[in-house]
Amino acid sequence: MTILCVRFQLPPTSEADLPHLLGMLEEFTPVVQALPPDGALADLRGAERYFGRDAVELASVIRVRSLALHGVDCVIGAGPGPMLARMALDDAAPGVTRAVPGEPDAIAGFLADKPVAALPGVGAATARTLGDYGLDTLGRVAAAPLSTLQRLIGAKAGRELREKANGVDRGRVVPNAVSRSLAAERPFGRDELDPDRHRRALLSAAEELGARLRALEKVCRTLTLTVRYADRSATTRSRTLTEPTAHSPALTRTAYGLYEALGLQRARVRAIALRAEGLDPADQASHQLTFDPVDEKVRRIEEVADRARAKFGPRAVMPGGLGGAAA
Protein backbone atom coordinates (compact mmCIF):
# COMPACT_ATOMS: atom_id res chain seq x y z
CA MET A 1 0.00 0.00 0.00
CA THR A 2 1.60 3.24 -1.10
CA ILE A 3 -1.28 5.71 -1.50
CA LEU A 4 -3.17 7.38 1.33
CA CYS A 5 -6.50 9.15 0.96
CA VAL A 6 -7.02 11.47 3.91
CA ARG A 7 -10.20 13.28 4.90
CA PHE A 8 -9.70 15.87 7.61
CA GLN A 9 -12.67 16.34 9.93
CA LEU A 10 -12.80 20.09 9.55
CA PRO A 11 -15.68 22.15 10.94
CA PRO A 12 -17.92 23.52 8.14
CA THR A 13 -16.38 26.99 8.28
CA SER A 14 -12.70 25.96 8.62
CA GLU A 15 -11.77 25.12 5.04
CA ALA A 16 -9.05 27.80 5.21
CA ASP A 17 -7.10 25.35 7.42
CA LEU A 18 -6.67 22.89 4.55
CA PRO A 19 -3.44 24.45 3.15
CA HIS A 20 -1.78 24.07 6.57
CA LEU A 21 -2.81 20.43 6.74
CA LEU A 22 -1.51 19.84 3.22
CA GLY A 23 1.78 21.35 4.33
CA MET A 24 1.88 18.84 7.16
CA LEU A 25 1.43 15.98 4.65
CA GLU A 26 4.21 17.43 2.51
CA GLU A 27 6.59 16.84 5.41
CA PHE A 28 6.23 13.14 4.54
CA THR A 29 6.07 13.31 0.73
CA PRO A 30 6.11 16.05 -1.91
CA VAL A 31 3.55 14.13 -3.96
CA VAL A 32 0.34 15.46 -2.41
CA GLN A 33 -2.86 16.18 -4.31
CA ALA A 34 -5.46 18.41 -2.66
CA LEU A 35 -9.05 17.15 -2.72
CA PRO A 36 -10.97 20.22 -1.57
CA PRO A 37 -12.80 20.98 0.59
CA ASP A 38 -11.29 18.68 3.23
CA GLY A 39 -9.17 15.91 1.76
CA ALA A 40 -5.95 14.92 0.03
CA LEU A 41 -4.15 12.06 -1.70
CA ALA A 42 -0.55 11.33 -0.74
CA ASP A 43 1.86 9.01 -2.60
CA LEU A 44 4.12 7.48 0.05
CA ARG A 45 6.34 5.28 -2.11
CA GLY A 46 9.45 7.33 -1.40
CA ALA A 47 8.41 8.00 2.20
CA GLU A 48 8.12 4.29 3.00
CA ARG A 49 11.75 3.76 2.03
CA TYR A 50 12.96 6.96 3.67
CA PHE A 51 11.23 6.49 7.04
CA GLY A 52 11.45 2.69 7.07
CA ARG A 53 7.72 2.36 7.77
CA ASP A 54 4.82 1.18 5.65
CA ALA A 55 1.86 3.35 4.65
CA VAL A 56 -0.36 2.24 7.54
CA GLU A 57 2.33 3.09 10.11
CA LEU A 58 2.89 6.48 8.48
CA ALA A 59 -0.87 7.06 8.51
CA SER A 60 -0.84 6.69 12.29
CA VAL A 61 1.93 9.28 12.58
CA ILE A 62 0.01 11.65 10.26
CA ARG A 63 -3.11 11.31 12.40
CA VAL A 64 -1.20 12.06 15.61
CA ARG A 65 0.47 15.12 14.07
CA SER A 66 -2.82 16.40 12.71
CA LEU A 67 -4.37 16.21 16.17
CA ALA A 68 -1.34 17.54 18.03
CA LEU A 69 -0.44 20.43 15.73
CA HIS A 70 -3.84 21.43 14.32
CA GLY A 71 -6.46 19.90 16.63
CA VAL A 72 -8.03 18.11 13.64
CA ASP A 73 -8.78 14.39 13.52
CA CYS A 74 -8.80 12.60 10.19
CA VAL A 75 -10.07 9.46 8.48
CA ILE A 76 -7.59 7.60 6.30
CA GLY A 77 -7.82 4.95 3.60
CA ALA A 78 -4.77 3.20 2.13
CA GLY A 79 -4.38 1.22 -1.05
CA PRO A 80 -2.04 0.39 -3.92
CA GLY A 81 -3.59 3.16 -6.06
CA PRO A 82 -5.69 6.34 -5.74
CA MET A 83 -8.99 4.64 -6.65
CA LEU A 84 -8.61 1.88 -4.06
CA ALA A 85 -7.39 4.36 -1.42
CA ARG A 86 -10.53 6.49 -1.99
CA MET A 87 -12.76 3.44 -1.69
CA ALA A 88 -10.94 2.32 1.45
CA LEU A 89 -11.56 5.76 2.92
CA ASP A 90 -15.31 5.24 2.53
CA ASP A 91 -15.00 2.16 4.80
CA ALA A 92 -12.68 3.81 7.31
CA ALA A 93 -13.54 5.04 10.79
CA PRO A 94 -11.82 7.74 12.88
CA GLY A 95 -8.72 6.36 14.58
CA VAL A 96 -8.37 3.31 12.30
CA THR A 97 -6.77 3.23 8.85
CA ARG A 98 -8.71 1.07 6.40
CA ALA A 99 -6.12 -0.62 4.20
CA VAL A 100 -6.54 -2.61 0.99
CA PRO A 101 -3.58 -4.97 0.45
CA GLY A 102 -1.93 -4.99 -2.95
CA GLU A 103 -2.39 -8.71 -3.66
CA PRO A 104 -4.87 -9.44 -6.51
CA ASP A 105 -6.97 -11.82 -4.38
CA ALA A 106 -7.26 -9.25 -1.58
CA ILE A 107 -8.29 -6.53 -4.02
CA ALA A 108 -10.88 -8.81 -5.62
CA GLY A 109 -12.30 -9.71 -2.21
CA PHE A 110 -12.49 -6.04 -1.19
CA LEU A 111 -14.37 -5.05 -4.37
CA ALA A 112 -16.59 -8.10 -4.93
CA ASP A 113 -19.64 -7.21 -2.82
CA LYS A 114 -19.52 -3.44 -3.21
CA PRO A 115 -22.32 -1.74 -5.16
CA VAL A 116 -21.38 -0.40 -8.56
CA ALA A 117 -22.03 3.18 -7.39
CA ALA A 118 -19.20 2.82 -4.84
CA LEU A 119 -16.70 3.02 -7.70
CA PRO A 120 -15.38 6.58 -8.18
CA GLY A 121 -16.68 8.07 -11.40
CA VAL A 122 -19.79 5.86 -11.66
CA GLY A 123 -22.92 7.97 -11.52
CA ALA A 124 -26.46 7.08 -10.53
CA ALA A 125 -27.65 6.71 -14.14
CA THR A 126 -24.90 4.20 -15.01
CA ALA A 127 -25.51 2.26 -11.80
CA ARG A 128 -29.24 2.07 -12.59
CA THR A 129 -28.59 0.87 -16.13
CA LEU A 130 -26.29 -1.90 -14.94
CA GLY A 131 -28.60 -2.79 -12.06
CA ASP A 132 -31.49 -3.35 -14.48
CA TYR A 133 -29.44 -6.20 -15.96
CA GLY A 134 -28.43 -7.70 -12.62
CA LEU A 135 -24.97 -6.12 -12.60
CA ASP A 136 -25.43 -4.47 -9.23
CA THR A 137 -22.09 -5.37 -7.59
CA LEU A 138 -18.51 -4.91 -8.73
CA GLY A 139 -17.93 -8.66 -8.51
CA ARG A 140 -20.68 -9.26 -11.07
CA VAL A 141 -19.39 -6.45 -13.28
CA ALA A 142 -15.88 -7.93 -13.13
CA ALA A 143 -17.21 -11.32 -14.25
CA ALA A 144 -19.41 -9.92 -17.04
CA PRO A 145 -18.25 -10.18 -20.67
CA LEU A 146 -16.63 -6.98 -21.92
CA SER A 147 -18.96 -6.92 -24.92
CA THR A 148 -22.00 -6.86 -22.62
CA LEU A 149 -20.72 -3.86 -20.65
CA GLN A 150 -19.79 -2.00 -23.83
CA ARG A 151 -23.23 -2.61 -25.28
CA LEU A 152 -24.87 -1.24 -22.14
CA ILE A 153 -22.77 1.87 -21.42
CA GLY A 154 -20.50 2.38 -24.42
CA ALA A 155 -17.15 1.06 -25.66
CA LYS A 156 -14.74 3.24 -23.70
CA ALA A 157 -16.84 3.46 -20.52
CA GLY A 158 -17.44 -0.29 -20.54
CA ARG A 159 -13.74 -1.08 -20.89
CA GLU A 160 -12.75 1.33 -18.11
CA LEU A 161 -15.50 0.07 -15.80
CA ARG A 162 -14.45 -3.55 -16.25
CA GLU A 163 -10.82 -2.69 -15.54
CA LYS A 164 -11.72 -0.82 -12.37
CA ALA A 165 -14.07 -3.58 -11.19
CA ASN A 166 -11.14 -5.99 -11.55
CA GLY A 167 -8.97 -3.72 -9.42
CA VAL A 168 -6.94 -2.18 -12.25
CA ASP A 169 -6.10 1.29 -10.91
CA ARG A 170 -4.44 3.47 -13.55
CA GLY A 171 -4.79 6.69 -11.59
CA ARG A 172 -1.88 8.60 -10.09
CA VAL A 173 -1.44 11.31 -7.52
CA VAL A 174 -0.97 14.66 -9.26
CA PRO A 175 0.57 17.33 -7.02
CA ASN A 176 -1.44 20.52 -7.14
CA ALA A 177 -2.05 23.66 -5.15
CA VAL A 178 -5.23 24.36 -3.24
CA SER A 179 -4.68 28.03 -4.09
CA ARG A 180 -5.74 27.26 -7.68
CA SER A 181 -9.29 27.27 -6.41
CA LEU A 182 -11.64 29.46 -4.39
CA ALA A 183 -14.39 28.23 -2.10
CA ALA A 184 -17.50 29.71 -0.51
CA GLU A 185 -19.43 27.73 2.09
CA ARG A 186 -22.86 28.40 3.57
CA PRO A 187 -23.58 26.44 6.76
CA PHE A 188 -27.13 26.46 8.09
CA GLY A 189 -27.94 27.21 11.70
CA ARG A 190 -30.00 24.02 11.78
CA ASP A 191 -30.45 21.09 9.41
CA GLU A 192 -32.34 22.69 6.53
CA LEU A 193 -35.11 20.96 4.55
CA ASP A 194 -36.37 23.94 2.53
CA PRO A 195 -35.16 23.85 -1.13
CA ASP A 196 -35.74 27.61 -1.40
CA ARG A 197 -33.22 28.22 1.38
CA HIS A 198 -30.83 25.82 -0.32
CA ARG A 199 -31.11 27.87 -3.51
CA ARG A 200 -30.60 31.15 -1.65
CA ALA A 201 -27.42 29.70 -0.16
CA LEU A 202 -26.27 28.71 -3.64
CA LEU A 203 -27.03 32.19 -4.97
CA SER A 204 -25.14 33.81 -2.11
CA ALA A 205 -22.11 31.53 -2.57
CA ALA A 206 -22.04 32.03 -6.35
CA GLU A 207 -22.23 35.81 -5.93
CA GLU A 208 -19.33 35.71 -3.48
CA LEU A 209 -17.20 33.55 -5.77
CA GLY A 210 -17.91 35.78 -8.76
CA ALA A 211 -16.94 38.92 -6.85
CA ARG A 212 -13.74 37.35 -5.49
CA LEU A 213 -12.74 36.05 -8.92
CA ARG A 214 -13.25 39.46 -10.52
CA ALA A 215 -11.31 41.15 -7.74
CA LEU A 216 -8.39 38.79 -8.41
CA GLU A 217 -8.83 39.21 -12.19
CA LYS A 218 -9.33 35.46 -12.53
CA VAL A 219 -11.82 33.19 -14.27
CA CYS A 220 -12.67 29.58 -13.42
CA ARG A 221 -13.16 26.60 -15.71
CA THR A 222 -14.95 24.24 -13.30
CA LEU A 223 -17.53 24.64 -10.55
CA THR A 224 -17.87 22.04 -7.79
CA LEU A 225 -20.84 21.71 -5.44
CA THR A 226 -20.58 19.94 -2.08
CA VAL A 227 -23.73 19.28 -0.05
CA ARG A 228 -23.21 18.15 3.55
CA TYR A 229 -26.04 16.32 5.29
CA ALA A 230 -27.20 15.90 8.88
CA ASP A 231 -25.66 12.41 9.12
CA ARG A 232 -22.19 13.92 8.33
CA SER A 233 -22.15 12.40 4.84
CA ALA A 234 -21.65 14.57 1.77
CA THR A 235 -22.27 14.59 -1.97
CA THR A 236 -19.88 16.32 -4.38
CA ARG A 237 -20.52 17.05 -8.04
CA SER A 238 -18.48 19.05 -10.57
CA ARG A 239 -19.28 20.60 -13.93
CA THR A 240 -17.01 22.15 -16.53
CA LEU A 241 -18.31 25.53 -17.65
CA THR A 242 -19.09 26.26 -21.28
CA GLU A 243 -16.39 28.94 -21.16
CA PRO A 244 -14.11 30.14 -18.35
CA THR A 245 -15.90 32.90 -16.47
CA ALA A 246 -16.16 35.06 -13.37
CA HIS A 247 -19.69 36.19 -14.29
CA SER A 248 -21.94 35.63 -11.26
CA PRO A 249 -25.14 34.78 -13.21
CA ALA A 250 -23.25 32.08 -15.16
CA LEU A 251 -21.87 30.64 -11.93
CA THR A 252 -25.33 30.74 -10.35
CA ARG A 253 -26.95 28.93 -13.29
CA THR A 254 -24.32 26.20 -13.11
CA ALA A 255 -24.73 25.89 -9.34
CA TYR A 256 -28.50 25.54 -9.71
CA GLY A 257 -28.00 22.89 -12.40
CA LEU A 258 -25.67 20.88 -10.17
CA TYR A 259 -28.10 21.12 -7.26
CA GLU A 260 -31.14 20.10 -9.32
CA ALA A 261 -29.27 17.14 -10.79
CA LEU A 262 -28.89 15.71 -7.28
CA GLY A 263 -32.67 15.26 -7.05
CA LEU A 264 -32.72 15.89 -3.31
CA GLN A 265 -36.07 15.16 -1.70
CA ARG A 266 -36.60 16.22 1.91
CA ALA A 267 -32.83 16.09 2.45
CA ARG A 268 -31.65 17.49 5.77
CA VAL A 269 -28.80 19.72 4.62
CA ARG A 270 -26.24 21.03 7.09
CA ALA A 271 -24.08 23.08 4.71
CA ILE A 272 -23.64 23.91 1.04
CA ALA A 273 -20.28 24.79 -0.52
CA LEU A 274 -19.25 25.95 -3.97
CA ARG A 275 -15.70 25.79 -5.26
CA ALA A 276 -14.36 27.54 -8.36
CA GLU A 277 -11.51 25.47 -9.81
CA GLY A 278 -9.10 25.69 -12.70
CA LEU A 279 -8.35 29.37 -12.21
CA ASP A 280 -6.76 31.29 -15.08
CA PRO A 281 -5.95 34.98 -15.66
CA ALA A 282 -9.02 36.81 -16.92
CA ASP A 283 -7.05 38.57 -19.66
CA GLN A 284 -6.20 35.19 -21.19
CA ALA A 285 -9.80 33.96 -21.29
CA SER A 286 -12.04 34.17 -24.33
CA HIS A 287 -15.67 35.25 -24.18
CA GLN A 288 -18.27 34.44 -26.82
CA LEU A 289 -19.70 37.75 -27.94
CA THR A 290 -23.46 38.03 -28.10
CA PHE A 291 -25.93 40.39 -29.68
CA ASP A 292 -28.12 40.15 -26.60
CA PRO A 293 -28.27 43.67 -25.08
CA VAL A 294 -29.55 42.24 -21.81
CA ASP A 295 -26.35 40.25 -21.26
CA GLU A 296 -24.22 43.32 -21.92
CA LYS A 297 -26.35 45.38 -19.55
CA VAL A 298 -26.06 42.77 -16.79
CA ARG A 299 -22.27 42.72 -17.12
CA ARG A 300 -22.10 46.52 -16.89
CA ILE A 301 -24.31 46.49 -13.79
CA GLU A 302 -22.01 43.85 -12.33
CA GLU A 303 -19.01 46.16 -12.80
CA VAL A 304 -20.82 49.01 -11.06
CA ALA A 305 -21.88 46.69 -8.22
CA ASP A 306 -18.27 45.55 -7.76
CA ARG A 307 -17.12 49.15 -7.39
CA ALA A 308 -19.88 49.82 -4.85
CA ARG A 309 -18.93 46.73 -2.81
CA ALA A 310 -15.26 47.73 -2.88
CA LYS A 311 -16.18 51.14 -1.45
CA PHE A 312 -19.03 50.35 0.93
CA GLY A 313 -18.60 46.66 1.81
CA PRO A 314 -19.64 43.27 0.42
CA ARG A 315 -23.33 43.69 1.37
CA ALA A 316 -23.71 47.10 -0.26
CA VAL A 317 -25.25 45.51 -3.38
CA MET A 318 -26.99 42.14 -3.36
CA PRO A 319 -29.29 40.21 -5.71
CA GLY A 320 -32.99 40.68 -5.03
CA GLY A 321 -33.25 36.98 -4.17
CA LEU A 322 -31.08 37.59 -1.11
CA GLY A 323 -33.04 40.58 0.15
CA GLY A 324 -33.86 40.08 3.82
CA ALA A 325 -32.05 36.72 3.90
CA ALA A 326 -29.23 35.94 6.26
CA ALA A 327 -27.28 34.05 3.62
Side-chain angles (χ1 to χ4, degrees):
M1 294 154 300
T2 59
I3 307 297
L4 294 185
C5 187
V6 184
R7 180 184 298 134
F8 298 103
Q9 296 186 311
L10 293 170
T13 57
S14 298
E15 188 180 338
D17 293 335
L18 183 59
H20 304 294
L21 293 163
L22 294 178
M24 182 266 297
L25 287 177
E26 288 170 352
E27 295 175 6
F28 295 86
T29 171
V31 189
V32 175
Q33 178 179 343
L35 298 177
D38 57 4
L41 288 169
D43 188 333
L44 298 182
R45 277 176 290 191
E48 288 178 313
R49 293 191 296 270
Y50 182 81
F51 291 103
R53 300 186 180 187
D54 63 24
V56 174
E57 292 172 328
L58 289 173
S60 299
V61 178
I62 288 169
R63 180 177 292 107
V64 170
R65 286 200 180 182
S66 179
L67 281 167
L69 299 178
H70 303 280
V72 176
D73 199 357
C74 57
V75 182
I76 302 178
M83 178 192 78
L84 291 166
R86 287 176 185 243
M87 296 181 72
L89 176 69
D90 292 337
D91 286 353
V96 179
T97 299
R98 177 66 168 96
V100 181
E103 294 77 18
D105 290 345
I107 293 173
F110 172 74
L111 294 174
D113 295 328
K114 291 193 174 296
V116 175
L119 201 64
V122 175
T126 299
R128 282 196 301 269
T129 298
L130 295 168
D132 290 342
Y133 290 87
L135 301 173
D136 55 349
T137 67
L138 292 177
R140 290 174 178 172
V141 170
L146 176 59
S147 58
T148 299
L149 297 175
Q150 291 179 319
R151 187 165 60 251
L152 292 175
I153 62 174
K156 181 179 178 181
R159 182 174 61 255
E160 291 179 351
L161 177 63
R162 193 167 190 272
E163 284 187 351
K164 291 179 179 179
N166 279 284
V168 178
D169 190 350
R170 300 188 185 277
R172 61 191 183 94
V173 180
V174 180
N176 59 10
V178 73
S179 60
R180 281 185 56 81
S181 64
L182 291 177
E185 185 156 2
R186 296 295 182 268
F188 295 106
R190 60 182 181 182
D191 298 334
E192 185 56 66
L193 294 166
D194 187 354
D196 289 336
R197 290 187 60 84
H198 297 168
R199 290 174 66 87
R200 283 201 295 273
L202 287 170
L203 173 60
S204 173
E207 285 287 325
E208 178 188 327
L209 284 182
R212 290 169 62 189
L213 286 167
R214 294 190 296 274
L216 294 170
E217 298 184 347
K218 299 282 189 179
V219 293
C220 71
R221 289 182 278 111
T222 303
L223 194 66
T224 297
L225 167 67
T226 299
V227 180
R228 301 182 187 279
Y229 306 106
D231 62 358
R232 304 179 69 87
S233 64
T235 301
T236 300
R237 295 290 184 271
S238 296
R239 183 169 296 177
T240 300
L241 301 168
T242 304
E243 63 180 25
T245 188
H247 188 37
S248 292
L251 298 174
T252 301
R253 285 194 299 271
T254 303
Y256 285 167
L258 286 165
Y259 172 80
E260 290 164 3
L262 294 178
L264 301 181
Q265 296 182 358
R266 302 292 294 171
R268 296 170 58 205
V269 175
R270 183 157 294 177
I272 287 177
L274 285 179
R275 175 172 289 279
E277 300 178 298
L279 306 190
D280 292 313
D283 59 6
Q284 296 180 13
S286 60
H287 168 55
Q288 179 64 49
L289 297 177
T290 175
F291 293 105
D292 183 4
V294 175
D295 180 72
E296 183 64 24
K297 182 178 180 181
V298 169
R299 291 178 183 271
R300 288 180 179 176
I301 292 173
E302 192 171 64
E303 293 176 4
V304 174
D306 286 342
R307 290 197 293 270
R309 293 189 190 103
K311 186 173 182 179
F312 300 108
R315 298 184 66 84
V317 180
M318 296 188 299
L322 295 178

